[in-house]
Amino acid sequence: MVTVCLLAPQLLGGALPWTAVLIAILAMVGAGVVALNVTLPKEGALLAVFVAVAFTCFQVLPFPSWVVSWVSPQRAVALEATYELLGSSDWLAFSLDPGGTRLALLHSVTIASGVIVGYASVERIGRHGVARVVGASVALMTAITLVHKLAGSDAVFGIYVPIEAGRSAAPLMNPNHLGGFLAFGVPIQLFLARRSRDAERLGWLCAALTGAVIVPLTGSRSGMVGLGIGLLLFAILTRKELKAKGWRTGLVGVAIVGVVTAIALDPAVLVGKLERGDYTKLSLAV
């Protein structure tokens, strides 16, 4: 799990074909290793994941054209016109975009393998151990992203320059993916700080604070909303301890420092995106 969680996110988020294949291989090898050594629990989530993978696989399997016509006549007409250009329309796949569906199948297998690794890891090292690995993965992404921003680099690892406009110079080049990943990790790191002591607690707190600062810098509105929701849920779930230990003021301070620092470091990116951005897609989360 350590290899999958720490290395996979650094492979450009699977944006390039070879990185997607390499991430899938890492996840599948990890799933194979743990499946041979750990008895997986009979969970409904595992079954749901396998059903989703099977359904995606079903979309790219070839069927006789009469089967596709019987299931979806309109789809069969569209597919036959395409397949005739390729020289044969006797066997058809249900997908209107076989290439995209094959890539989705690769992603589905990767996710399923990751779920298997996650469940097996819970059996071996417990939920707290899994949280530590996930927190470390987000902390590594935070550190690498911070180095790129401080260096003013336009190339990921100084090698690959994103070709699409609006991409981040970070291993997760999509700003929404990067902001969401970091926002997901901040509450976990705060939880780990709450359960740790001395130097380790300081380390998790620094990681959480840095992540909270970088999320607004990504310009991802969904990332900022996710960070706010995550911090709110953390405060609610730990309200008794926060009140007893005076953490409430500390959390408010972290939020204020994060927002002020983000605006001070790069106001054009943050304020510009907030003023010009389209918020209609946020209705999907309501």
Side-chain angles (χ1 to χ4, degrees):
M1 181 179 180
V2 174
T3 303
V4 174
C5 285
L6 292 183
L7 184 58
Q10 310 305 324
L11 295 174
L12 308 182
L16 303 179
W18 69 269
T19 60
V21 171
L22 184 54
I23 292 172
I25 292 174
L26 283 172
M28 287 188 287
V29 169
V33 170
V34 299
L36 295 175
N37 296 280
V38 179
T39 301
L40 295 175
K42 296 180 180 180
E43 294 280 354
L46 284 174
L47 178 61
V49 168
F50 290 131
V51 169
V53 173
F55 180 75
T56 308
C57 183
F58 173 82
Q59 298 291 314
V60 294
L61 291 176
F63 290 90
S65 57
W66 65 267
V67 173
V68 180
S69 298
W70 178 70
V71 175
S72 178
Q74 293 182 340
R75 182 181 294 260
V77 172
L79 289 170
E80 285 176 350
T82 302
Y83 276 73
E84 283 177 358
L85 296 176
L86 301 176
S88 175
S89 60
D90 296 332
W91 291 79
L92 306 174
F94 279 93
S95 173
L96 294 174
D97 181 12
T101 307
R102 291 190 186 98
L103 181 59
L105 178 60
L106 181 66
H107 292 164
S108 299
V109 172
T110 303
I111 293 171
S113 301
V115 170
I116 292 174
V117 172
Y119 270 103
S121 299
V122 170
E123 294 294 318
R124 294 291 296 272
I125 61 177
R127 297 179 185 274
H128 185 74
V130 171
R132 287 170 61 89
V133 174
V134 173
S137 177
V138 178
L140 179 61
M141 179 65 69
T142 301
I144 294 176
T145 303
L146 179 62
V147 169
H148 279 78
K149 288 192 173 293
L150 292 178
S153 175
D154 294 327
V156 182
F157 296 120
I159 300 174
Y160 179 76
V161 179
I163 59 176
E164 296 184 28
R167 295 298 180 179
S168 300
L172 288 178
M173 295 178 289
N174 186 309
N176 289 326
H177 295 172
L178 178 61
F181 187 71
L182 299 182
F184 164 74
V186 169
I188 294 176
Q189 291 164 342
L190 289 175
F191 163 79
L192 292 168
R194 174 171 162 260
R195 293 292 186 90
S196 304
R197 293 185 178 182
D198 302 327
E200 184 178 354
R201 170 177 289 184
L202 179 61
W204 289 123
L205 285 174
C206 288
L209 175 59
T210 307
V213 169
I214 292 179
V215 169
L217 291 178
T218 66
S220 171
R221 297 179 295 277
S222 57
M224 286 183 265
V225 171
L227 177 61
I229 293 174
L231 290 176
L232 179 61
L233 288 175
F234 176 81
I236 292 173
L237 294 174
T238 60
R239 60 187 181 279
K240 292 183 179 179
E241 184 175 344
L242 292 177
K243 186 176 181 180
K245 295 186 177 181
W247 277 43
R248 184 177 301 174
T249 303
L251 282 178
V252 173
V254 167
I256 293 175
V257 170
V259 173
V260 172
T261 304
I263 295 175
L265 289 176
D266 203 342
V269 173
L270 179 59
V271 177
K273 281 185 173 289
L274 289 174
E275 290 178 346
R276 298 189 302 270
D278 179 12
Y279 290 87
T280 56
K281 65 180 181 180
L282 294 180
S283 62
L284 296 173
V286 178

